[in-house]
Amino acid sequence: MRKRGMLAFIISTFLILFFAYTLLNGLNLGNYEVRPIKNLLSLGLDLKGGVYIEEEAIGQVSKEDLERTRQLLDLRINNLGVKESTVAIIPGVNRIRIEIPGIYDAKNALDAIGKTGELKFIGPDNNVILTGKDVADATVGVDSRNNQPVVQLKLKDDGAKKFAEATAKFKGQQIAIYMDDDMVSNPTVQEVIPNGEAIITGSKDVEEAKRLAGIIKSGALPIKLSAATVETIGPTLGAEAIPTSKKAAVIGISLVMIFMLLYYKIPGLIADLALVVYMILTVLVFVSIKATLTLPGIAGLLLSIGMAVDANVLIFERIKEELNLGKSLKTAVDLGFHKAFTSIFDSQITTLIAGFVLYFLGSGSVKGFALTLNIGVLCSLFTAITITRFLLKSFVNSGIITNVNFYRPSVK
């Protein structure tokens, strides 16, 4: 039991420190490269700088037209070569919010957003077969053969003739559909289309079929827009905020770790290791869901670190109480985790409820704060009841230190 506990603790500690080092500095293994986590995080406008635009629809517009406009604007901004841009409908008003990080010329951004899109059907020989002027309509339907969503395409008379010739010529080959320079679909010609009515298969769901139909239906924006808000956020804010935030995070986390180690001794050391796991998990979740880190997001992250430590404090105080009652070390650890679980669960759940309300009812920076807070709370709940428990029990089972005074604070 002792050897197994010692081995489990040593291997776990090594893996935690290895992953932490790899995420901070990256790693090269032959042809494989693990990039540092800082290169994978998406930064918001308040950290990276860029252009913030709110486009307002003129007159009464339907939800469908507003959504189709959003999709087309998203496509045009992607054509600018900008990653991490955000194009979203603002709830309650007929406005579309556009955030373009890394671009500081608002006039060029507005020109690119407002231009008329060019729809083209291009054959395998790179010749243009149809343009947007040849398309009469594009709607979403269901393929009766397999119940999969499809785009139903209806062409004008001239377009129907050209498409009949093209489908006869390229049967079994692909005809690509481009919006400007961006290929939106590349279907294969299954059969000759003589009447100008075709279906495009291959959409994975109804939403994708709607998006494709919306793009084909209208190269130009379906509604008129007016720039209601245009702001250029310089990179200087981020240049000042990022180092300051890093410094605050390093100082804050270091002080917390030192306090836990000095006050709770062995459990404090375990809590520090669990805190490293918590930070690794939180950042990995952030990157995996492609969330954008903003200044309020960093605040939410630092707040959740405090909550992660708070969960460990509840556990260690319960262990201290059991030790003061004369229980053995292993029994005190088991009872400590068991009795603290309800308190930890209740406090984290209430915070999560508040975080979800903020996320779904808030907007902009409030959403960023709520998102990082919720991710942090979920990760802290996991690390407190699994990682801390596993590490502490492994250490106790190893028998490296059996004096109970090293497992409770000096102040009883």
Side-chain angles (χ1 to χ4, degrees):
M1 179 67 82
R2 285 192 173 189
K3 286 184 178 178
R4 193 166 61 183
M6 186 181 298
L7 192 62
F9 181 76
I10 291 173
I11 292 176
S12 301
T13 303
F14 171 77
L15 289 175
I16 291 169
L17 297 178
F18 173 76
F19 280 115
Y21 175 85
T22 302
L23 286 177
L24 280 175
N25 302 290
L27 187 67
N28 285 311
L29 290 173
N31 295 327
Y32 297 96
E33 179 188 10
V34 179
R35 295 163 62 194
I37 200 70
K38 64 181 180 182
N39 296 342
L40 302 176
L41 283 171
S42 301
L43 302 181
L45 285 185
D46 54 357
L47 294 176
K48 192 173 183 178
V51 175
Y52 178 89
I53 299 170
E54 285 186 12
E55 293 277 9
E56 184 170 8
I58 298 175
Q60 293 295 321
V61 296
S62 64
K63 288 184 178 178
E64 291 75 18
D65 283 343
L66 200 61
E67 173 58 23
R68 201 166 68 203
T69 303
R70 186 200 66 78
Q71 292 173 355
L72 289 170
L73 290 178
D74 192 21
L75 198 61
R76 291 177 185 181
I77 290 170
N78 284 333
N79 285 338
L80 295 174
V82 179
K83 294 180 179 178
E84 306 158 8
S85 59
T86 301
V87 182
I89 296 172
I90 302 176
V93 291
N94 290 333
R95 286 190 178 187
I96 297 175
R97 173 171 54 87
I98 303 167
E99 297 178 1
I100 314 175
I103 286 183
Y104 308 103
D105 191 330
K107 184 177 180 305
N108 280 346
L110 284 170
D111 289 343
I113 291 168
K115 71 178 182 180
T116 300
E118 185 182 8
L119 181 72
K120 292 176 291 188
F121 288 59
I122 297 180
D125 55 0
N126 290 326
N127 288 325
V128 176
I129 300 169
L130 302 173
T131 67
K133 295 178 182 178
D134 297 312
V135 178
D137 199 5
T139 56
V140 176
V142 176
D143 192 337
S144 58
R145 296 168 296 184
N146 53 22
N147 290 327
Q148 292 297 308
V150 295
V151 177
Q152 298 168 326
L153 193 63
K154 189 173 183 180
L155 302 174
K156 295 176 182 176
D157 291 343
D158 288 346
K161 292 177 184 175
K162 290 187 281 188
F163 202 56
E165 295 172 3
T167 50
K169 182 179 179 181
F170 300 125
K171 185 178 178 182
Q173 300 182 64
Q174 291 174 309
I175 293 179
I177 303 172
Y178 280 83
M179 174 58 74
D180 295 325
D181 296 325
D182 193 41
M183 186 170 70
V184 295
S185 185
N186 193 25
T188 301
V189 179
Q190 305 288 345
E191 57 187 16
V192 178
I193 310 295
N195 57 359
E197 295 184 3
I199 61 171
I200 301 174
T201 60
S203 298
K204 63 182 179 182
D205 52 33
V206 174
E207 290 303 315
E208 185 175 310
K210 281 183 179 178
R211 176 179 177 274
L212 180 57
I215 292 170
I216 293 174
K217 195 172 180 179
S218 178
L221 297 179
I223 59 178
K224 289 186 177 179
L225 295 173
S226 173
T229 303
V230 180
E231 294 178 5
T232 302
I233 302 170
T236 52
L237 177 60
E240 295 173 359
I242 291 175
T244 305
S245 301
K246 280 183 181 176
K247 188 176 180 182
V250 169
I251 293 174
I253 293 169
S254 299
L255 288 176
V256 168
M257 285 184 161
I258 292 170
F259 169 78
M260 293 298 289
L261 184 61
L262 294 179
Y263 189 75
Y264 287 103
K265 304 170 187 173
I266 298 300
L269 172 66
I270 301 300
D272 290 348
L273 289 172
L275 190 59
V276 175
V277 176
Y278 158 79
M279 288 186 285
I280 292 172
L281 281 178
T282 303
V283 174
L284 286 179
V285 171
F286 221 74
V287 171
S288 64
I289 65 172
K290 298 180 179 177
T292 300
L293 189 63
T294 60
L295 273 177
I298 292 176
L301 201 60
L302 294 177
L303 178 61
S304 65
I305 288 174
M307 297 192 66
V309 176
D310 186 51
N312 286 317
V313 168
L314 286 172
I315 294 168
F316 300 155
E317 288 298 320
R318 293 288 182 274
I319 292 175
K320 181 189 75 174
E321 291 172 3
E322 298 301 324
L323 289 174
N324 290 342
L325 290 173
K327 303 283 177 59
S328 69
L329 185 55
K330 291 182 181 179
T331 303
V333 170
D334 286 334
L335 289 174
F337 276 98
H338 178 71
K339 291 184 176 179
F341 177 77
T342 304
S343 301
I344 295 171
F345 190 75
D346 288 348
S347 65
Q348 304 287 35
I349 287 298
T350 51
T351 306
L352 275 177
I353 291 171
F356 280 118
V357 170
L358 279 177
Y359 183 79
F360 286 108
L361 299 183
S363 63
S365 57
V366 176
K367 273 182 177 287
F369 173 81
L371 179 65
T372 51
L373 180 63
N374 286 339
I375 292 173
V377 169
L378 288 172
C379 290
S380 71
L381 192 59
F382 172 75
T383 54
I385 61 179
T386 57
I387 303 298
T388 304
R389 185 190 185 99
F390 174 77
L391 289 173
L392 188 54
K393 291 191 75 170
S394 297
F395 191 86
V396 170
N397 290 334
S398 71
I400 298 173
I401 298 176
T402 56
N403 188 338
V404 295
N405 289 327
F406 285 94
Y407 293 87
R408 59 185 171 192
S410 302
V411 180
K412 299 182 180 179

